[in-house]
Amino acid sequence: MTARLTAWVQAVGAVRTAFFVSLLLSWVALQGALLNRDGILYVDVARAMLEEGFLLRHSGIDWQFLSLLMAGLSALTGLAPEAAGHFLNAVFLAGACSLLVAITRQRMPEAAWAACLVVLAMPAYNGYRDMLLREYGFWFFCTLAFWLAMRWEASGRQRDALACQLALGIAALFRLEAVVLYPALMLWQVFAAPAGQRLRRALSMGWLPLAAAALGAILVGSGFIALPGRVNYYLEAANPLRTLQILNEAGSRMSELVFKYKYSREEAGYILFFGLLSVIPVKFLTLSGVFVAPLAYGFMVQPARAALARWQPLPWIFLAYLLVLAAFVTHQFFLVGRYVSFLNMLAVPVVAVGLAQLMKRFPGWRWLILALAVITLLANVVSVSPRKTHIVEAGRWLGANVSERQQVCLVNSRIAYYANWPTSGIVFEDAQLDRLIADRRCIWTAIETRKKENLAVWLQERRLQEVRRFVNAAGEAVVIARREGM
């Protein structure tokens, strides 16, 4: 029986196994999960597109390609926009996983199954399987572009080069920073191509975006079109003079509030700059989880230059995206984990080789290593914490019992979503809620509270009366309250 199962798995192959197991993991992760706040925005836009037309301009989001795909799939299949979005995300992530295994198998066949395990268990991106995000499309089409670039390098077929550029263009429709990867691919050829062919091969990787950029500059310069807000934001974040100004201003404020000594104050800007940059490697290592060990081992058993040379152009892509993250974190002063996850995805082939070599070098530890990887895989998609059923129940109660939704003020967009209401004009920041209640703008509100917290005084001060309370297994509650006398 074991031999038959092994033969069947070998016949399926590591690439297809990664794809189908990834789909299964996404299905498991979505069981009982609440829709994330970004996902609610994408669903709202998709619903509006279905109702008002696909050329809708929505003030809440200026990069609408995911919502457009969700609305299109919903119109074609009858799926709800949320289900359409999760289906697209699951397919995109499964495709990215299988492509990473294919890339590994192409350059080092003996590490293909290790890559299959790594790509399915890496916490960096597998931990987001229950969320509706633009990143999945970005990851898939970027990975497809790299696979096509490697195939073009081996075959020399120009159709592969064109397909690579088109794939990156589609990735940019999900996340605009994909355009930074075009110069990375061109630099790869500038340094890797034979002498006398470097310019031609570099242009093979970049003639399409160069032509598009020239056409865009002409249209913007002539006033036919205006730059999208997202493009302006990226140009500002990439401006080193603007970044230096922001750092100097923040450093000056920090030196007055934090540092006691004169010499520390003089270095405040440098401390802030390098402190912000340190966020990137810390998050990268944290999101690698148990795979930090095989990543390090992959560089220990051979020189770093040799370890990276095998996976060109991924090191160039890694460097380019690292610069994107550096620009973002020094511009916004924060960095969420899913932005860094792409670096972990690029590191999968190196981690897979390290894992394969580690198990070969220490065969006695093989089962322990595999057990840790499988535990990590399951921990990414199976949650043991109590479900947030109280949020769903509160939202559905409001939707069924409150007809005038403009009289409702919330701070949690999920409650509005499960009431089947749009979030615009209903969901506000915490600081705004007290003012709106005081101004009698809100007749109804829903307040989240933890176990043993007493809301009675807070409600009394604001002349609110508790109407319903929904509690989950952890004792967390949503209290629905109504203004007294209204």
Side-chain angles (χ1 to χ4, degrees):
M1 183 66 180
T2 304
R4 184 179 299 175
L5 180 61
T6 302
W8 180 82
V9 170
Q10 292 292 341
V12 172
V15 174
R16 282 179 286 186
T17 297
F19 183 86
F20 290 114
V21 174
S22 178
L23 290 178
L24 177 62
L25 291 175
S26 293
W27 178 80
V28 172
L30 288 170
Q31 300 309 300
L34 296 186
L35 186 60
N36 57 303
R37 289 176 174 83
D38 285 353
I40 291 171
L41 182 59
Y42 302 138
V43 171
D44 279 350
V45 175
R47 285 174 173 171
M49 286 179 173
L50 290 170
E51 294 171 1
E52 303 173 31
F54 284 82
L55 297 179
L56 169 78
R57 293 186 63 84
H58 191 278
S59 59
I61 178 173
D62 60 355
W63 218 249
Q64 302 176 358
F65 190 61
L66 175 59
S67 294
L68 181 64
L69 290 180
M70 290 163 55
L73 182 60
S74 180
L76 288 173
T77 63
L79 286 172
E82 180 185 349
H86 283 308
F87 174 79
L88 288 169
N89 280 182
V91 172
F92 286 148
L93 186 53
C97 289
S98 60
L99 284 167
L100 285 168
V101 176
I103 288 171
T104 307
R105 186 181 64 179
Q106 179 185 352
R107 298 287 175 90
M108 199 165 181
E110 60 270 28
W113 282 103
C116 182
L117 180 59
V118 171
V119 81
L120 294 171
M122 179 74 75
Y125 46 88
N126 285 292
Y128 297 109
R129 287 183 180 272
D130 60 336
M131 297 185 184
L132 187 54
L133 300 169
R134 289 181 295 149
E135 275 75 9
Y136 296 107
F138 169 72
W139 293 336
F140 170 71
F141 285 103
C142 283
T143 310
L144 177 61
F146 309 150
W147 178 76
L148 288 166
M150 291 178 172
R151 198 165 78 162
W152 166 76
E153 184 188 31
S155 67
R157 291 189 300 243
Q158 287 304 308
R159 67 183 182 186
D160 288 336
L162 176 60
C164 169
Q165 295 172 80
L166 290 173
L168 268 187
I170 298 173
L173 296 176
F174 289 94
R175 296 205 65 90
L176 186 57
E177 55 264 37
V179 299
V180 178
L181 307 183
Y182 284 116
L185 289 174
M186 296 176 72
L187 282 172
W188 162 49
Q189 284 304 301
V190 167
F191 286 90
Q197 300 182 33
R198 290 174 180 172
L199 180 59
R200 180 180 64 81
R201 291 178 69 87
L203 289 175
S204 293
M205 284 283 96
W207 67 265
L208 187 60
L210 290 174
L215 178 60
I218 293 171
L219 293 174
V220 171
S222 60
F224 281 103
I225 62 172
L227 276 178
R230 183 62 59 93
V231 176
N232 279 321
Y233 165 77
Y234 273 78
L235 291 175
E236 182 181 354
N239 184 349
L241 296 179
R242 176 60 179 157
T243 299
L244 185 62
Q245 179 186 355
I246 293 172
L247 288 170
N248 284 335
E249 293 173 356
S252 298
R253 292 194 297 269
M254 187 175 72
S255 65
E256 296 171 0
L257 297 173
V258 177
F259 297 121
K260 293 170 55 178
Y261 302 106
K262 168 186 172 182
Y263 302 106
S264 298
R265 292 173 183 170
E266 292 175 353
E267 306 297 333
Y270 295 104
I271 294 171
L272 178 61
F273 177 71
F274 288 106
L276 287 170
L277 290 183
S278 69
V279 172
I280 301 172
V282 168
K283 284 190 177 291
F284 173 78
L285 295 175
T286 301
L287 292 170
S288 297
V290 297
F291 296 108
V292 168
L295 176 63
Y297 189 77
F299 287 104
M300 288 172 56
V301 296
Q302 60 181 324
R305 186 184 183 92
L308 295 177
R310 178 184 289 117
W311 305 110
Q312 297 293 341
L314 297 186
W316 284 102
I317 303 298
F318 192 98
L319 177 60
Y321 193 73
L322 192 63
L323 294 176
V324 170
L325 294 178
F328 182 90
V329 75
T330 53
H331 182 72
Q332 290 287 8
F333 289 16
F334 79 92
L335 192 64
V336 297
R338 72 172 186 268
Y339 297 165
V340 184
S341 296
F342 187 55
L343 293 181
N344 297 84
M345 188 170 279
L346 293 171
V348 163
V350 178
V351 175
V353 171
L355 181 63
Q357 292 173 336
L358 196 62
M359 290 192 293
K360 184 178 179 180
R361 175 68 178 81
F362 303 100
W365 293 85
R366 179 189 298 266
W367 291 110
L368 177 60
I369 295 170
L370 291 175
L372 287 174
V374 171
I375 291 171
T376 303
L377 181 151
L378 294 174
N380 292 330
V381 297
V382 178
S383 174
V384 296
S385 59
R387 301 290 187 186
K388 296 184 180 295
T389 54
H390 58 304
I391 293 177
V392 180
E393 292 168 355
R396 289 175 177 169
W397 188 92
L398 280 172
N401 294 277
V402 178
S403 58
E404 295 295 330
R405 64 169 181 260
Q406 295 304 324
Q407 298 176 346
V408 180
C409 294
L410 306 170
V411 294
N412 189 339
S413 58
R414 288 171 166 173
I415 296 176
Y417 176 77
Y418 288 105
N420 202 29
W421 294 337
T423 58
S424 177
I426 297 176
V427 180
F428 304 94
E429 299 291 335
D430 288 324
Q432 296 176 289
L433 187 62
D434 271 342
R435 178 177 57 81
L436 292 169
I437 292 173
D439 293 343
R440 300 191 176 187
R441 156 69 174 78
C442 307
I443 295 178
W444 293 88
T445 188
I447 307 300
E448 293 180 75
T449 179
R450 296 184 180 276
K451 190 176 184 180
K452 297 182 180 179
E453 286 182 349
N454 190 351
L455 279 179
V457 175
W458 189 91
L459 293 171
Q460 184 178 7
E461 289 174 350
R462 289 155 183 80
R463 298 186 63 190
L464 295 172
Q465 183 177 4
E466 180 176 330
V467 177
R468 288 293 303 267
R469 178 182 292 257
F470 299 92
V471 186
N472 74 344
E476 300 169 331
V478 173
V479 175
I480 295 177
R482 181 185 172 95
R483 187 172 182 85
E484 295 176 356
M486 300 290 288

